[in-house]
């Protein structure tokens, strides 16, 4: 676990701390400022610069620079990729895989984003996006599912929408809509 240089001294083979290392068990950190402010919390894994920097929660995994960097008390989150779940503070049970996946999610729970910038500006919960830039424009819509590159890219506040296929649902304007096939619903 990262320990600030000014909080310890080394003399021969003796390591002396002026500030105690973080408490908690099963925590692993590798990278500059990874788990930097951890005062308590168990079973967290942080790999990368600033990964889980603000953590106090339990059972989080962050791999990549700035992944889960703002997480304070959120738990059961997985972030793999730089800036994935970067703004997450108290949210639980989110999975983000890919550069900037679920980047702005702070409190939304139980969302899954797999792919470059999928669910990037999401702040709500219960969404699933698989594919680069899928549901990239979703902000407060809930229970949406998008599978395919840029699927449902423009849905911002709609809920209960499903889009499967390349750019499927890109022009969706209603809620509770379903588009299946490449470019289905891409033009209104």
């Amino acid at each position: 676990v990262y320990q600030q240089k000014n909080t310890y001294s080394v003399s021969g083979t003796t390591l002396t701390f002026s500030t105690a290392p973080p408490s908690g068990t099963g925590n692993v950190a590798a990278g500059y400022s990874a788990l930097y402010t951890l005062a308590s919390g168990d079973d967290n894994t942080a790999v990368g610069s600033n990964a889980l920097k603000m953590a106090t929660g339990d059972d989080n995994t962050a791999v990549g620079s700035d992944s889960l960097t703002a997480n304070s008390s959120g738990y059961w989150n997985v972030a793999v990729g730089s800036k994935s779940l970067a703004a997450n503070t108290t949210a639980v049970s989110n999975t983000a895989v890919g550069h900037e996946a679920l980047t702005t999610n702070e409190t939304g729970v139980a969302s899954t984003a797999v792919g470059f910038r999928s669910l990037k500006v999401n702040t709500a919960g219960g969404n699933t996006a698989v594919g680069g830039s899928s549901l990239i424009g979703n902000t407060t819509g809930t229970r949406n599912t998008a599978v395919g590159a840029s699927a449902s890219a423009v849905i911002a506040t709609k809920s209960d929408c499903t889009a499967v296929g390349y750019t499927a649902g890109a022009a969706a304007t209603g809620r509770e809509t379903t588009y299946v096939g490449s470019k289905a619903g891409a033009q209104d």
Side-chain angles (χ1 to χ4, degrees):
V1 173
Y2 178 80
Q3 188 74 19
Q4 289 180 311
K5 183 154 178 63
N6 64 349
T7 64
Y8 66 90
S9 62
V10 178
S11 177
T13 59
T14 303
L15 179 63
T16 305
F17 292 96
S18 60
T19 302
S23 64
T25 61
N27 295 303
V28 177
Y32 178 77
S33 291
L35 285 174
Y36 182 74
T37 62
L38 183 71
S40 64
D42 299 322
D43 303 316
N44 293 293
T45 302
V47 178
S49 175
N50 298 317
L52 275 166
K53 182 177 181 177
M54 307 303 286
T56 59
D58 297 324
D59 302 302
N60 292 293
T61 301
V63 179
S65 64
D66 298 312
S67 58
L68 276 166
T69 193
N71 192 71
S72 56
S73 60
Y75 53 92
W76 301 333
N77 294 296
V78 176
V80 179
S82 63
K83 299 181 183 169
S84 56
L85 276 167
N88 193 83
T89 54
T90 60
V92 300
S93 301
N94 290 295
T95 302
V97 178
H99 173 71
E100 293 184 348
L102 274 167
T103 297
T104 61
N105 188 70
E106 291 180 19
T107 59
V109 299
S111 285
T112 301
V114 179
F116 173 79
R117 293 187 174 161
S118 56
L119 280 167
K120 181 181 179 186
V121 296
N122 184 72
T123 59
N127 293 295
T128 302
V130 179
S133 299
S134 54
L135 281 169
I136 191 172
N138 187 70
T139 54
T140 59
T142 60
R143 300 176 306 277
N144 293 303
T145 302
V147 179
S150 299
S152 290
V154 297
I155 289 178
T157 60
K158 307 300 185 226
S159 296
D160 302 305
C161 296
T162 302
V164 179
Y166 172 73
T167 68
T173 56
R175 57 180 284 138
E176 299 176 359
T177 58
T178 300
Y179 297 97
V180 178
S182 181
K183 298 182 184 178
Q187 295 178 4
D188 221 7

